[in-house]
């Protein structure tokens, strides 16, 4: 089902339209949604019409923001309107608008927008997992530590996050606690239904709770709920690039965040902000490191240029707007909208700026306020300071600082970039296998963006043809995979003979998302006449550990709902799940997984066959406890893989 023609719709507009339907019409809603998107017809005035035969025509008239934010912007010509199936179906087929789109433009332009991947929307929510334990030792001896939307659930491995400024957390209001409780209930019901039964009606309930959370001042919880709704839609439509693991993580983050807020306690920044706060940074001098294409599942595209200050702080300047792939490809050479600087992003990535009156967000994003002025300065190569310091630090020390939350490393734009010198081993599937110079660990380099129209994968594939090549890599560590780096740029290793030969104007690095490596950029003696076959990568502790059984159980619950988990835990399947975990010393994981299957199958009924407890609360608590435990255990294995 294509929704490219239909405009985004505010969550509360869709929720209200579904709520107005009768029970009989709600049963027909999903079938109507699947049929109406292909009928959409855009008009010259910006409106979109969807005909339903001769009986009705639904017209959407988006506002100045490009989204349908009011009930009066969606009208139907049938006699039952606005309580009709046609109107609700068209709204249900439309994309869900982001919170910032609904409430208006941000206080700063979209300069400094966060880079996003193909599978996630533009948002400000994040999650932080606590360090687990090393090796395969079970980090959770007490399996009941994180199950409920009460005080114990707040501090598991996947809380809402700490994106905003640090300091004492303000006390939650009664309205915020009620909104979080309602969001927990809606999320629990959606989890119990799963993808198979999580149709438009279930999504609408979750959207209503998300809108209530936003009105109560919980924008981060709202953003987490919107990610779940988008994930449910993509899974039901079997959308390209949709991963069940991503939806499982989104459910974990939503439930964990709603749990801590519903308990009335929160960490600093747990509620989130509707506007990114920019503070005066005074005079600032920054140097370009690389540029990265930005592509979002919600139709946004653009570029992010990564910068480094002499003190080692990371900064970003971005240009992210609606436009998708075409804009992501073209924005790499677009002008930089920052203080009148006469530079494009390609020039800034290899140049620098002296900024007066700089405005900087808490995560290092540079704003473009009226008082900001910027002057181009000469760039520095990766061999010069401050960039050289990124490659001088041992990899295991840099990663330890990242996982431990070292303030020096966490300062800047999101996850700090990691630089290292590596030797190419070869290709292993979609990964490029390399070894860190100086007897370091074996790493897997995965494309930062897997879209075939972006050159990340093609560049890594060409590099894989040159085993033994010395390479300087700058990328972002993947916290969900063992010893995995997503490279953004590469360059030659100083003093090495078997390394890249890049043009002088590239200033010693190639942006893998924009520059295409050619044969002339490689030393001729390094290329082999016979293509190199698949290379056996280093052992993957995540793949070798039996934790994949827990992951599969959790994903089964997301896909098939509560009934699927109950079926997976019956008979011999329970022993097949629990026994390998116990043999590996993962007793906590085994106990939590077994408790989840028991709770999923617990449906007590009275003498008349009616459910005594129809609530999904207990099931959601058990699922969340197992999910948080799994995230902590996997995190510990990832940390160990970098040593």
């Amino acid at each position: 089902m294509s929704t490219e023609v239909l405009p985004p719709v505010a969550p509360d507009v869709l929720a209200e339209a579904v709520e107005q339907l009768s029970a009989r019409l709600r049963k027909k809603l999903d079938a109507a949604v699947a049929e109406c998107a292909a009928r959409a017809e855009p008009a010259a005035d910006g409106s979109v019409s969807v005909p339903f035969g001769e009986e009705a025509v639904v017209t959407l008239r988006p506002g100045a923001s490009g989204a349908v934010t009011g009930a009066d912007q969606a009208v139907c010509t049938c006699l039952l309107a606005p309580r009709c199936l046609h109107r609700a179906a068209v709204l249900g087929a439309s994309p869900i608008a982001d919170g910032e789109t609904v409430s208006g433009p941000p206080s700063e332009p979209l300069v400094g927008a966060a880079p996003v991947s193909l599978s996630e929307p533009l948002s400000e929510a994040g999650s932080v997992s606590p360090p687990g334990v090393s090796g395969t030792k079970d980090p959770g001896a007490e399996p009941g530590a994180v199950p409920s939307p009460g005080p114990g659930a707040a501090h598991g491995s996947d809380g809402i996050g700490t994106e905003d400024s640090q300091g004492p957390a303000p006390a939650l209001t009664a309205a915020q606690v009620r909104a979080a409780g309602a969001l927990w209930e809606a999320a629990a019901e959606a989890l119990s239904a799963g993808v198979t039964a999580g149709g438009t009606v279930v999504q609408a309930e979750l959207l209503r709770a998300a809108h209530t959370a936003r009105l109560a001042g919980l924008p981060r919880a709202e953003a987490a709920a919107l990610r779940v709704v988008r994930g449910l839609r993509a899974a039901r439509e079997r959308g390209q690039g949709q991963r069940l693991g991503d939806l499982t993580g989104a459910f974990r983050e939503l439930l964990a965040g709603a749990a801590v807020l519903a308990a009335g306690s929160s960490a600093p920044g747990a509620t989130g902000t509707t506007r990114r706060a920019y503070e005066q940074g005074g005079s600032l001098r920054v140097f370009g490191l690389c540029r990265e294409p930005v592509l979002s599942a919600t139709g946004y595209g653009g570029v992010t240029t990564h910068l480094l200050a002499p003190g080692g702080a990371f900064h970003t300047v971005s240009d992210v707007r609606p436009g998708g792939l075409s804009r992501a490809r073209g924005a790499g050479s677009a002008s930089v909208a920052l203080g009148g600087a006469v530079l494009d992003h390609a020039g800034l990535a290899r140049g620098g700026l002296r900024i007066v009156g700089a405005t900087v967000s808490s995560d290092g994003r540079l704003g473009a306020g009226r008082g900001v002025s910027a002057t181009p300065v000469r760039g520095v190569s990766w061999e010069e300071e401050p960039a050289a310091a990124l490659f001088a630090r041992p990899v295991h020390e840099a990663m330890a600082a990242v996982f431990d939350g070292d303030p020096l490393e966490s300062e800047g734009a999101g996850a700090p970039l990691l630089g290292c010198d590596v030797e190419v081993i070869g290709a292993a599937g979609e990964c490029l296998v390399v070894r860190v110079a100086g007897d370091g660990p074996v790493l897997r380099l995965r494309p930062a963006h897997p879209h075939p129209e972006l050159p990340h994968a093609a560049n890594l594939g060409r590099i894989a043809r040159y085993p033994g090549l010395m390479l300087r890599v700058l990328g972002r560590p993947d916290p969900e995979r063992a010893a995995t780096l997503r490279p953004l740029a590469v360059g030659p290793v100083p003093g090495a003979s078997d390394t890249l030969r890049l043009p002088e104007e590239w200033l010693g690095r190639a942006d893998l998302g924009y520059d295409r490596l050619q044969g002339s950029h490689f030393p001729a003696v390094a290329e082999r006449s016979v293509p190199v076959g698949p290379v056996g990568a280093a052992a993957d502790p995540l793949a070798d550990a039996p934790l994949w059984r827990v992951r599969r159980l959790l994903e089964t619950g997301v896909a098939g709902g509560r009934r699927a988990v109950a079926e997976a835990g019956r008979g011999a399947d329970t022993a097949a799940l629990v026994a390998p975990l116990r043999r590996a010393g993962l007793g906590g994981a085994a106990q939590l997984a077994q408790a989840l299957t028991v709770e999923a199958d617990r449906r007590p009924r009275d003498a008349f066959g009616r459910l005594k407890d129809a609530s999904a609360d207990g099931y959601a608590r058990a699922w969340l406890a197992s999910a948080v435990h799994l995230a902590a255990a996997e995190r510990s294995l990832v940390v160990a893989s970098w040593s």
Side-chain angles (χ1 to χ4, degrees):
M1 180 178 68
S2 174
T3 60
E4 296 179 356
V5 177
L6 295 172
V9 172
D12 59 306
V13 175
L14 172 58
E16 182 181 3
V18 174
E19 186 179 17
Q20 292 177 344
L21 296 179
S22 64
R24 180 180 62 85
L25 293 179
R26 289 189 181 190
K27 295 179 181 180
K28 301 180 180 181
L29 182 56
D30 287 334
V33 167
E35 297 176 357
C36 69
R39 307 173 184 172
E41 301 173 356
D45 61 354
S47 63
V48 178
S49 299
V50 181
F52 286 83
E54 299 180 356
E55 59 182 15
V57 176
V58 177
T59 303
L60 302 182
R61 293 185 175 86
S65 64
V68 175
T69 57
D72 57 340
Q73 294 175 325
V75 297
C76 180
T77 59
C78 77
L79 297 178
L80 292 178
R83 303 172 181 271
C84 62
L85 179 65
H86 314 112
R87 180 172 175 271
V90 174
L91 292 174
S94 303
I96 301 298
D98 291 318
E100 291 189 359
T101 303
V102 173
S103 59
S107 56
E108 292 278 358
L110 281 175
V111 174
V116 290
S117 69
L118 280 167
S119 60
E120 64 187 18
L122 288 171
S123 65
E124 295 185 336
S127 61
V128 178
S129 302
V133 294
S134 60
T136 58
K137 182 181 178 181
D138 189 8
E142 298 180 6
V146 196
S148 69
H155 310 293
S157 69
D158 291 274
I160 290 295
T162 57
E163 180 188 58
D164 301 302
S165 59
Q166 298 298 317
L172 297 179
T173 65
Q176 288 176 321
V177 174
R178 288 195 300 270
L183 188 58
W184 165 272
E185 293 178 2
E189 292 295 339
L191 177 67
S192 181
V195 172
T196 55
T200 307
V201 175
V202 173
Q203 296 169 23
E205 292 298 325
L206 194 52
L207 290 175
R208 174 171 291 281
H211 179 67
T212 303
R214 183 176 185 84
L215 294 179
L218 304 174
R220 181 170 290 179
E222 182 214 26
L226 294 185
R227 279 196 297 278
V228 169
V229 172
R230 293 191 180 105
L232 286 172
R233 287 188 169 193
R236 290 177 63 84
E237 297 166 8
R238 294 176 175 84
Q240 184 178 4
Q242 187 274 336
R243 294 177 61 246
L244 189 58
D246 294 336
L247 181 55
T248 302
F251 262 114
R252 184 186 67 238
E253 181 181 352
L254 172 60
L255 289 169
V260 59
L261 294 172
S265 59
S266 65
T271 58
T273 58
T274 56
R275 292 290 185 268
R276 182 171 294 115
Y278 285 80
E279 299 180 354
Q280 292 297 325
S283 297
L284 189 64
R285 190 181 181 96
V286 292
F287 301 97
L289 290 174
C290 63
R291 54 191 165 140
E292 174 187 11
V294 175
L295 192 58
S296 163
T298 54
Y300 285 81
V303 62
T304 291
T305 298
H306 297 270
L307 309 167
L308 187 66
F314 290 98
H315 297 279
T316 55
V317 173
S318 300
D319 182 6
V320 181
R321 303 178 189 277
L325 176 64
S326 60
R327 196 173 193 289
R329 297 172 63 182
S333 56
S335 298
V336 176
L338 180 64
V342 287
L343 272 180
D344 58 19
H345 281 272
L348 179 58
R350 295 181 172 92
L353 287 176
R354 180 186 290 110
I355 308 173
V356 178
T359 57
V360 187
S361 70
S362 60
D363 56 1
R365 304 174 194 182
L366 299 178
R370 295 182 180 179
V372 179
S373 63
T375 305
V377 297
R378 183 188 72 86
V380 298
S381 69
W382 284 359
E383 301 179 36
E384 304 175 66
E385 295 294 345
L390 293 177
F391 304 94
R393 190 174 187 181
V395 170
H396 66 278
E397 291 184 9
M399 289 306 302
V402 171
F403 287 118
D404 291 343
D406 186 338
L408 296 177
E409 292 294 325
S410 60
E411 180 183 0
L417 300 182
L418 175 68
C420 57
D421 294 342
V422 301
E423 179 183 358
V424 175
I425 298 177
E430 62 178 0
C431 299
L432 172 63
V433 182
V434 300
R435 181 181 296 278
V436 177
D439 295 328
V442 174
L443 306 181
R444 301 166 184 82
L445 305 186
R446 300 178 68 91
H449 295 278
H451 199 288
E453 296 297 324
L454 296 175
H456 290 94
N459 282 329
L460 292 183
R462 179 174 285 274
I463 294 173
R465 295 164 52 190
Y466 296 82
L469 183 73
M470 298 301 297
L471 203 63
R472 177 158 281 188
V473 180
L474 182 67
R476 184 181 296 108
D478 189 337
E480 297 182 357
R481 299 178 186 270
T484 299
L485 188 69
R486 295 189 179 271
L488 303 180
V490 296
V493 175
S497 59
D498 191 6
T499 189
L500 292 175
R501 314 291 206 259
L502 300 180
E504 290 186 9
E505 59 269 21
W506 285 15
L507 203 63
R509 65 260 205 178
D511 297 330
L512 295 179
Y514 288 103
D515 301 323
R516 290 188 179 271
L517 296 175
Q518 307 295 332
S520 60
H521 299 151
F522 296 87
V525 295
E527 186 171 11
R528 295 184 175 182
S529 57
V530 179
V532 179
V535 175
D540 188 341
L542 285 183
D544 297 339
L547 289 171
W548 64 267
R549 300 176 184 274
V550 181
R551 189 184 316 115
R552 185 173 65 179
L553 178 66
L554 296 173
E555 292 179 355
T556 297
V558 171
R562 181 173 184 165
R563 291 183 178 179
V565 174
E567 290 293 334
R570 290 174 182 167
D573 293 338
T574 302
L577 170 66
V578 173
L581 293 171
R582 295 193 186 280
R583 285 196 300 267
L586 298 168
Q591 186 174 350
L592 286 169
Q594 188 172 17
L596 173 59
T597 58
V598 171
E599 180 62 31
D601 202 26
R602 189 185 66 83
R603 306 285 279 179
R605 298 180 181 274
D606 59 17
F608 299 98
R610 297 171 299 190
L611 287 174
K612 291 183 179 180
D613 182 13
S615 171
D617 183 79
Y619 170 73
R621 289 199 304 269
W623 187 94
L624 178 60
S626 187
V628 168
H629 184 281
L630 173 66
E634 290 183 333
R635 176 86 165 190
S636 68
L637 294 176
V638 171
V639 172
S641 69
W642 285 90
S643 59

